[in-house]
Amino acid sequence: MFQQILDPLFGSLALSALVAVIPLATLFVLLGVFRVKAWKASLVGLALSMILAAVVWRMPVPQVISGSLEGALYGIVPILWILVNALWIYRLTVVTGWFEVLGDRIRAISDDQRILAIIIAFCFGALLESLAGFGAPVAISIAMLIAAGMAPVKAAVVSLLANTAPVAFGAMAAPIIALSGVTGIDIHLLSQMAGRQTPFLAAFVPLILVLIVDGWRGVRQTWPVAVVAGIAFAVAQFVTANYIAVEITDVVAAVVTMLAVLVMLRFWKPKNAVTAGHAGPGETADALGGPAEGRTATTVVKVTEATAHIDRSTRSSGNLTWNAVMPYVVIIAVFSISQLPPVKAFLAAHATLSFAWPGLEITDSAGNAVGTAFKLGYIGTGGTLLLISGIIVAALYRMSARSAVAAYGTTLHQLRFTIVTVVAVLALAYVMNLSGQTHTLGAALAATGGLFALLSPAIGWLGVAITGSDTSSNALFGLLQATTAEKVGLDPVLMAATNSSAGVLGKMLSPQNLAVAAAAAGMAGKEGDLFRRLIWWSLGLLVVFTALIYLQSTPILGWMVPTS
């Protein structure tokens, strides 16, 4: 039996907290200052956390190793299992040529750059974030906007800022799933809370995008469609996160918003369109796994008649739009079926393996048992549902088994460094949590009292700004937020969800995301220019968002916090 020690270093909580922060500080310095690859920095951070757990917090070495393995497995299932299969579906649409068709259909809707900023960067970007995430939405949106005639710098700024509201539920809700894993808080409660925070951000993002594209004139002339897009996304995100399924929150929100914008444009259009000449042939930038690996991995994929597996009869028929959006419809259908009461009950009873993790017997500093049970979902989990969706999509696209498997292999190859990063970060988080390092940090932060509600959003913001990943930030700081909240009398669900919701505002400034955007816009080496254009938007939105979180921590908006 191992009992956690709150102040292991000379009985000093302050000194112990300073030592506990070493693995995180080292990880951030390696990423942000020395630009070390994320997978290498994560392994260094993991090694430091394990050494401190054994030497300073006096956790038995076998339990340190066992705890790291538990975290690593959680990084693989469910997080990487979801991410790999989601990106595989995206890859299927690319290699078959239907992704390019979807881009063409979107660009044909309007030639007004302000409208395209909403449709491409906000709506379509959110759809990509729901599946691909990790930089793909930014890179692809930039390429499409430049192809539609938008200046590269403006396209980059618009795409980076648009990639905020969907991030908390991106990659089939990988951030929320990771948050639930490290905090032990029910995923549905976290989904509900995040779904009562990020919609407020989503409601205003389209207005900000048209402001960036065309100034206040753009806001005056296009505010009706911007408001419709923002409200549609906010409402759909709220409803899906609270009442349907967390994994498909962004898919539903993006599809609903796209439909709302299309319907509105049939009856209303801005009087004076802001257009530009076509910048060149349509190209899509593929950044699978770029930011999470701490590197610029933007690859331009050109889909031509010779390489796309779309026969001319299909291309000339009225099935173009249906085939282009079909993968997202399949995903929604599969996940919706899994949520039907009989199916959900069956999966809960027969498709989850629960067991006590071997070699871990832990109590906290007060002598209370620390939960070490591991739940392994193998059918009803989001990754398996995505695998089923991908098989259906491949069949409907009439792909050969060899082509589909080859696409899967390509996805695994492109994510090889991301896989190492995610496994290492989750292992690091579990070691810090199980050894007591996180509780030491939480106890030190508890000195801020009720003002922690003002500090909490900044912690999430900093985590994403440095790591470039809401999933990684949640793994590192999720339990810290929940632990500190309990100590100061705040709701742990609120503070844990805040780490994810506020963190999205730091993604536009992360070095990895800026590098992907600069490469996609042909501005390699000018990441600083993008940073300067976005820093005040990021900080300004963080201040406003912090005010919302503080009100949710008080009786004024406290009724918004869900209860179990």
Side-chain angles (χ1 to χ4, degrees):
M1 179 68 70
F2 164 66
Q3 184 171 6
Q4 296 174 348
I5 307 172
L6 191 62
D7 49 1
L9 212 58
F10 307 113
S12 170
L13 179 61
L15 187 58
S16 299
L18 286 176
V19 173
V21 84
I22 288 176
L24 300 178
T26 302
L27 172 62
F28 289 168
V29 170
L30 289 176
L31 284 174
V33 179
F34 295 102
R35 303 294 179 89
V36 174
K37 303 292 187 183
W39 68 274
K40 295 180 180 179
S42 300
L43 289 174
V44 171
L46 171 60
L48 287 174
S49 68
M50 295 178 71
I51 292 172
L52 291 176
V55 175
V56 179
W57 273 262
R58 301 193 280 278
M59 187 179 191
V61 173
Q63 294 208 41
V64 173
I65 296 174
S66 181
S68 66
L69 292 176
E70 183 183 12
L73 180 58
Y74 190 82
I76 296 171
V77 181
I79 296 175
L80 284 170
W81 183 231
I82 290 173
L83 178 60
V84 169
N85 288 314
L87 287 172
W88 176 53
I89 295 176
Y90 165 68
R91 171 62 54 187
L92 294 179
T93 67
V94 172
V95 299
T96 56
W98 287 110
F99 180 81
E100 179 70 5
V101 173
L102 181 59
D104 289 340
R105 305 299 282 183
I106 290 174
R107 287 191 292 268
I109 294 171
S110 173
D111 60 354
D112 191 320
Q113 292 194 11
R114 301 165 301 184
I115 303 298
L116 288 175
I118 295 174
I119 295 175
I120 294 176
F122 186 65
C123 300
F124 188 54
L127 195 59
L128 288 174
E129 181 66 34
S130 69
L131 284 184
F134 295 96
V138 170
I140 294 170
S141 295
I142 290 172
M144 292 175 67
L145 288 172
I146 292 176
M150 187 175 291
V153 175
K154 190 171 290 185
V157 172
V158 165
S159 298
L160 283 165
L161 204 148
N163 191 225
T164 49
V167 170
F169 296 97
M172 304 307 288
I176 301 296
I177 293 171
L179 187 61
S180 176
V182 297
T183 61
I185 300 175
D186 181 69
I187 189 172
H188 185 57
L189 288 176
L190 292 172
S191 173
Q192 286 180 314
M193 189 67 253
R196 301 174 191 188
Q197 293 174 331
T198 56
F200 288 96
L201 173 65
F204 293 98
V205 168
L207 286 169
I208 297 175
L209 298 184
V210 297
L211 176 64
I212 292 174
V213 173
D214 194 33
W216 289 108
R217 181 186 66 173
V219 175
R220 289 194 303 270
Q221 294 182 356
T222 61
W223 69 264
V225 68
V227 169
V228 166
I231 293 178
F233 194 95
V235 172
Q237 195 176 56
F238 167 78
V239 171
T240 310
N242 278 270
Y243 304 110
I244 304 178
V246 58
E247 293 90 347
I248 59 171
T249 296
D250 279 348
V251 177
V252 173
V255 171
V256 168
T257 307
M258 185 79 75
L259 292 175
V261 171
L262 292 179
V263 170
M264 183 171 185
L265 290 177
R266 292 183 64 89
F267 302 98
W268 176 93
K269 294 184 186 298
K271 293 182 179 179
N272 302 307
V274 174
T275 62
H278 195 74
E283 297 177 341
T284 59
D286 179 12
L288 300 183
E293 299 165 25
R295 64 189 178 92
T296 304
T298 307
T299 306
V300 176
V301 180
K302 298 181 180 180
V303 182
T304 64
E305 290 286 346
T307 59
H309 305 293
I310 305 175
D311 58 57
R312 294 185 180 276
S313 61
T314 303
R315 184 177 281 275
S316 61
S317 72
N319 294 328
L320 279 175
T321 302
W322 161 249
N323 281 280
V325 302
M326 180 266 292
Y328 310 102
V329 176
V330 169
I331 291 171
I332 293 175
V334 170
F335 274 86
S336 297
I337 291 172
S338 73
Q339 294 302 307
L340 294 175
V343 178
K344 188 174 183 179
F346 174 82
L347 293 176
H350 303 285
T352 301
L353 179 64
S354 298
F355 57 93
W357 190 263
L360 289 180
E361 295 183 26
I362 302 173
T363 63
D364 61 20
S365 57
N368 300 312
V370 174
T372 57
F374 193 91
K375 292 184 178 180
L376 182 64
Y378 50 90
I379 297 180
T381 185
T384 303
L385 295 177
L386 283 170
L387 178 63
I388 294 171
S389 300
I391 293 172
I392 295 173
V393 169
L396 293 176
Y397 278 160
R398 298 180 181 177
M399 293 184 68
S400 66
R402 175 177 294 182
S403 297
V405 171
Y408 204 99
T410 301
T411 301
L412 287 173
H413 177 75
Q414 291 186 318
L415 285 176
R416 62 193 184 280
F417 295 115
T418 301
I419 291 171
V420 176
T421 301
V422 172
V423 167
V425 166
L426 264 297
L428 183 158
Y430 267 65
V431 169
M432 290 191 66
N433 296 344
L434 294 172
S435 67
Q437 295 173 60
T438 300
H439 288 279
T440 299
L441 286 171
L445 286 172
T448 59
L451 293 179
F452 181 71
L454 297 175
L455 180 62
S456 174
I459 294 175
W461 177 89
L462 180 64
V464 178
I466 298 296
T467 66
S469 166
D470 203 33
T471 302
S472 297
S473 178
N474 286 346
L476 294 174
F477 293 131
L479 185 60
L480 174 66
Q481 298 268 23
T483 301
T484 307
E486 289 180 344
K487 292 181 181 297
V488 301
L490 296 172
D491 194 303
V493 174
L494 170 62
M495 293 297 98
T498 294
N499 193 80
S500 189
S501 300
V504 305
L505 296 172
K507 189 162 188 178
M508 66 181 82
L509 299 179
S510 69
Q512 301 94 319
N513 231 27
L514 288 173
V516 168
M523 300 171 55
K526 296 184 178 180
E527 291 85 353
D529 294 343
L530 297 177
F531 180 88
R532 286 187 290 273
R533 288 173 177 265
L534 288 163
I535 179 65
W536 297 114
W537 283 113
S538 181
L539 292 176
L541 289 171
L542 178 63
V543 170
V544 175
F545 202 79
T546 299
L548 169 66
I549 301 305
Y550 182 76
L551 291 176
Q552 288 182 331
S553 72
T554 69
I556 298 175
L557 293 181
W559 52 269
M560 297 181 67
V561 180
T563 56
S564 56

